[in-house]
């Protein structure tokens, strides 16, 4: 339940900042929606895994493994801000 709670609190923070105009005025609404879905993916998959644990432990663990991949792999949002790129050289620029 921790992942669900933390994800929902993060969602609430992001929605609060958006609705009270605390974010950059030039923020693209698509970035807002993409961030909302990125935040909600964790709680949704956590609840699905918990529900599946009553049916099949194997399926439940598989969903949790998928959740790990969601958190580890860079998303479109990360690429948009230049995150998730591998450095091309080891020397500083």
């Amino acid at each position: 339940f921790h992942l669900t709670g933390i994800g929902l609190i993060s969602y609430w923070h992001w929605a609060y900042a958006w609705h009270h105009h605390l974010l950059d005025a030039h923020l693209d609404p698509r970035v807002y929606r993409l961030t909302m879905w990125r935040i909600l993916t964790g709680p949704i998959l956590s609840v699905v895994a918990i529900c599946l644990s009553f049916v099949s432990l194997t399926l439940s663990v598989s969903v949790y493994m998928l959740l790990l991949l969601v958190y580890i792999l860079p998303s479109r949002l990360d690429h948009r801000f230049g995150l998730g790129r591998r450095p091309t050289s080891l020397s500083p620029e």
Side-chain angles (χ1 to χ4, degrees):
F1 292 108
H2 290 91
L3 289 175
T4 305
I6 291 169
L8 292 177
I9 289 170
S10 295
Y11 173 83
W12 179 80
H13 281 140
W14 185 252
Y16 181 88
W18 176 263
H19 292 294
H20 288 86
H21 308 288
L22 300 175
L23 302 173
D24 185 5
H26 302 292
L27 183 67
D28 187 353
R30 292 177 295 179
V31 172
Y32 168 74
R33 284 191 304 274
L34 186 60
T35 303
M36 294 297 264
W37 279 110
R38 176 78 172 162
I39 292 171
L40 284 177
T41 301
I44 290 170
L45 287 178
S46 294
V47 169
V48 168
I50 290 168
C51 293
L52 281 175
S53 70
F54 294 105
V55 177
S56 168
L57 185 60
T58 305
L59 285 175
S60 176
V61 171
S62 299
V63 171
Y64 271 117
M65 292 300 151
L66 176 64
L67 182 59
L68 288 174
L69 287 176
V70 167
Y71 281 132
I72 291 172
L73 297 176
S75 70
R76 289 183 296 164
L77 184 64
D78 297 326
H79 291 295
R80 182 178 181 93
F81 293 107
L83 304 172
R85 281 190 271 163
R86 298 181 193 273
T88 55
S89 69
L90 296 176
S91 61
E93 295 181 48

